[in-house]
């Protein structure tokens, strides 16, 4: 059974700091990995998706990397801003076919202090 | 493209009552998913549709839960005889096979409180 772990559960940093959020998964046979952002009481916003054949993806100040063999992904946030405060979840997917549900970590709650 | 839409956003119901949530996926997305999320946890998979066919159901989906997607467009999730343990946010998501990465897009969720 796939298990996804995100440690620490919460993180507080001063504005402007570059930071890395970690995600680990137990079964390396994944199809892709997706990072999401969730604001309190809201749904999930997709940030980045990395296919199993890719090493990284970038969008603006965000960069996600994937090391499938070691079961790890990182989300790098450059020059953090208070508006980045949210919970960040990673999720892995076993395949593209019918049985392709996402398995999520519990998320990392980020607080960026002004 | 208006995104995944869910209604109602919030529902408070008494234990034992039935509730129904509706999800309108992104237009022309053939895949639709339901997840459940409780405080401090990541979303947990409930069920999945490809067009109108329900292809997978989680063991979390007890006999009191039923989901439909009759015309392959919107979907409903009904919970019968609600229990306090059903209190959670119910998230709907959709994706398209035309998207190479098959990115999954989530709605804003429907909060259920059973009192």
């Amino acid at each position: 059974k796939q298990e996804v772990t995100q440690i620490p559960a919460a993180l507080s940093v001063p504005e402007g700091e570059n930071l890395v959020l970690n995600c680990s998964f137990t079964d390396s046979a994944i199809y892709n990995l997706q990072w999401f952002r969730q604001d309190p009481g809201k749904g999930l916003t997709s940030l980045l998706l990395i296919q199993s054949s890719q090493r990284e993806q970038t969008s603006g100040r965000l960069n996600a990397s994937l090391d499938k063999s070691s079961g790890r992904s990182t989300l790098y946030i450059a020059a953090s801003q208070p508006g980045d405060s949210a919970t960040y979840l990673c999720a892995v997917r076993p395949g593209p076919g019918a049985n392709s549900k996402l398995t999520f970590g519990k998320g990392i709650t980020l607080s960026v202090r002004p | 493209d208006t995104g995944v839409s869910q209604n109602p956003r919030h529902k408070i119901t008494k234990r034992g009552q039935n509730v129904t949530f509706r999800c309108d996926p992104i237009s022309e997305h053939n895949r639709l998913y339901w997840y459940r999320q409780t405080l401090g946890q990541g979303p947990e998979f409930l069920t999945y549709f490809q067009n109108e066919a329900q292809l997978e159901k989680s063991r979390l989906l007890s006999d009191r839960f039923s989901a439909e997607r009759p015309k392959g467009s919107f979907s409903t999730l009904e919970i019968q005889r609600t229990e306090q343990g059903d209190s959670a946010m119910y998230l709907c998501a959709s994706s398209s096979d035309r998207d190479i990465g098959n990115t999954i897009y989530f709605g804003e969720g429907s909060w259920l409180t059973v009192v």
Side-chain angles (χ1 to χ4, degrees), chain A residues 37-48:
Chain A
R37 169 184 171 138
Q38 186 172 33
D39 293 295
K42 302 289 188 179
L44 279 67
T45 300
S46 179
L47 297 174
L48 289 164

Side-chain angles (χ1 to χ4, degrees), chain A residues 41-98:
Chain A
K42 302 289 188 179
L44 279 67
T45 300
S46 179
L47 297 174
L48 289 164
L49 180 146
I50 312 178
Q51 297 285 38
S52 60
S53 58
Q54 297 175 323
R55 297 283 295 182
E56 64 179 75
Q57 283 286 331
T58 298
S59 175
R61 294 182 296 109
L62 305 179
N63 176 278
S65 68
L66 174 65
D67 184 344
K68 200 173 78 163
S69 60
S70 67
R72 293 181 182 179
S73 176
T74 61
L75 179 67
Y76 174 82
I77 303 177
S80 58
Q81 304 169 357
D84 295 330
S85 298
T87 296
Y88 291 83
L89 298 112
C90 69
V92 297
R93 190 168 178 183

Side-chain angles (χ1 to χ4, degrees), chain A residues 34 38 93 96 98 101-102, chain B residues 31 35 37 48 56 102 104:
Chain A
Q34 205 166 341
Q38 186 172 33
R93 190 168 178 183
K101 60 183 179 288
L102 293 171
Chain B
R31 301 187 183 204
Y35 286 79
Q37 186 180 25
Y48 157 69
E56 187 175 358
N102 213 244
I104 296 179

